[in-house]
Amino acid sequence: MFQNDYIMRQIETFVRLLAKVLLCKEEDDLFTFSIIEKMGDEADPLLAKLSRLVDRGEINEAEDCLFEELEKGDLKTVETAMCFYKSLNDMSDEELESCNFSREEITEAVKDIGRRFGIVLD
């Protein structure tokens, strides 16, 4: 339990840091899946697509889609990625496991995004 709480806090810290440094945003300024549901797909079409995939339990497919978009180097996609991983971090361990995903994968993905933009998170 303690280790899981530590990992969750670490992910939150990494997301907050990347949002602040790369996007000049506070973590609270990031969209979440719940906001997308209220605002509709036009708010962020990529995040809406990722949300639909996660709802179907296809987190790995959503992540593949996200990383394809990140290859373009657009900071808007970085914001979408931070929203995506923030939302995944809010899921329970059981929900993540049922989708064949883990908090460690969230941590590694956020670190990878940081490295792509010259920020090492460790």
Side-chain angles (χ1 to χ4, degrees):
M1 181 72 158
F2 176 74
Q3 182 179 5
N4 189 41
D5 289 343
Y6 171 76
I7 293 170
M8 290 177 75
R9 282 192 314 274
Q10 185 179 42
I11 292 167
E12 289 172 18
T13 300
F14 290 165
V15 167
R16 187 178 304 115
L17 178 68
L18 290 179
K20 183 100 169 156
V21 172
L22 294 176
L23 306 169
C24 299
K25 290 189 172 219
E26 297 297 326
E27 182 184 19
D28 294 341
D29 294 336
L30 295 173
F31 283 137
T32 62
F33 286 171
S34 60
I35 290 174
I36 293 299
E37 290 167 7
K38 291 176 188 168
M39 297 177 67
D41 290 1
E42 61 277 351
D44 185 336
L46 177 58
L47 191 58
K49 178 180 180 178
L50 300 176
S51 177
R52 285 190 300 274
L53 287 167
V54 170
D55 286 346
R56 293 194 309 248
E58 300 173 4
I59 295 176
N60 288 300
E61 292 81 355
E63 186 176 51
D64 291 345
C65 178
L66 176 63
F67 272 86
E68 284 177 25
E69 289 296 318
L70 281 168
E71 290 296 322
K72 298 174 185 174
D74 182 12
L75 286 180
K76 176 61 180 155
T77 307
V78 173
E79 181 175 4
T80 300
M82 294 304 98
C83 296
F84 175 70
Y85 289 112
K86 181 176 184 280
S87 295
L88 291 185
N89 195 41
D90 290 340
M91 294 173 70
S92 71
D93 288 338
E94 293 76 23
E95 290 173 306
L96 289 171
E97 286 176 26
S98 73
C99 297
N100 197 27
F101 213 76
S102 69
R103 253 174 247 295
E104 289 77 14
E105 288 176 285
I106 298 170
T107 303
E108 288 308 310
V110 173
K111 286 180 178 181
D112 183 44
I113 293 167
R115 280 190 296 275
R116 288 170 184 253
F117 290 89
I119 299 170
V120 178
L121 303 168
D122 281 318

